[in-house]
Amino acid sequence: MTETATASTENAGLLESAFVVEMVRQMRAIDPYGHYDAMSTLEILEPFILTKEKKREIPIIGDPDELVVARVKVFYNAISALIESECGLMAVPLVNLTHEGFGRALITVGKLVVMDRTVRDVHRFGFPSLSKMKDEADKILSVALELIGNHSKVAGL
C-alpha cells in the first residue's frame, strides 16, 4: 500500500468521526454566502491545519482577523455540541478574546465549568494534522464528560 493510500484510508475514518462531521457543520453554519457548499470536508477543514512550514510563515506577533477568531469559536462550538449530544445537557461555549489574540475559552454545562482554557497567539491557531485536532477535542470531551458525571447535580442546574 502506498503512503498516500494509507493516508487517505486513515483520513476516511477520521472524516466520518462525529467530531469532524460537527466541525464541518459548524463551519457551514458561519458561511452566510454558501462558499463552503461546493467544498469537500478536507477543503473546509484545511485552515485548521497548520504544518510547521505554514506556522513559520505567520509572524510571531500579530492580531487575529475575523476568520481566525471564527475558527476558534467553531472549534469550541463543535466540542460543546458533542458534549450536549453525549450527556443531553446544554453545553455553552464562551470565547473571550482581546484584539491582540489573547483570552479565554470556557465551556459550561449548567453551573459547571467543564473546560477552561487560556488562549494565546490566536492568529496562529491550528493543529499539525486533522488527527491531532481530533485528539485534542477528544481529550477535552472526555475530561468534560467525566466532570459532568462526577458533578451531575451542578451540571443539571
Side-chain angles (χ1 to χ4, degrees):
M1 194 178 258
T2 66
E3 202 171 302
T4 54
T6 306
S8 66
T9 305
E10 288 173 12
N11 272 346
L14 234 119
L15 295 176
E16 295 169 3
S17 70
F19 173 71
V20 171
V21 169
E22 187 59 39
M23 284 288 291
V24 171
R25 185 178 298 138
Q26 293 289 330
M27 284 294 285
R28 287 198 166 121
I30 64 167
D31 176 29
Y33 301 111
H35 295 288
Y36 295 145
D37 290 349
M39 296 173 98
S40 71
T41 300
L42 285 175
E43 289 172 323
I44 292 172
L45 296 178
E46 191 270 328
F48 289 94
I49 310 306
L50 280 182
T51 60
K52 287 182 180 181
E53 295 77 28
K54 285 183 184 177
K55 217 170 206 177
R56 273 191 215 115
E57 293 172 7
I58 301 171
I60 292 177
I61 298 173
D63 295 343
D65 61 3
E66 290 178 27
L67 291 174
V68 174
V69 172
R71 283 198 303 265
V72 172
K73 289 179 179 180
V74 161
F75 179 72
Y76 292 111
N77 284 350
I79 294 171
S80 295
L82 291 176
I83 291 170
E84 208 168 302
S85 68
E86 288 285 326
C87 71
L89 299 170
M90 186 166 68
V92 180
L94 170 72
V95 178
N96 183 17
L97 299 170
T98 66
H99 69 282
E100 296 172 331
F102 297 95
R104 238 186 165 118
L106 299 166
I107 298 176
T108 59
V109 176
K111 301 279 184 202
L112 180 65
V113 177
V114 296
M115 191 216 66
D116 180 6
R117 289 272 166 101
T118 301
V119 184
R120 295 182 181 96
D121 298 331
V122 168
H123 67 287
R124 300 177 84 182
F125 180 78
F127 301 90
S129 68
L130 190 58
S131 64
K132 297 274 189 200
M133 181 171 66
K134 185 184 177 312
D135 291 346
E136 181 65 23
D138 287 345
K139 280 187 229 171
I140 294 169
L141 182 63
S142 66
V143 169
L145 292 174
E146 183 180 339
L147 282 169
I148 292 167
N150 292 340
H151 307 284
S152 57
K153 281 186 178 180
V154 180
L157 292 177

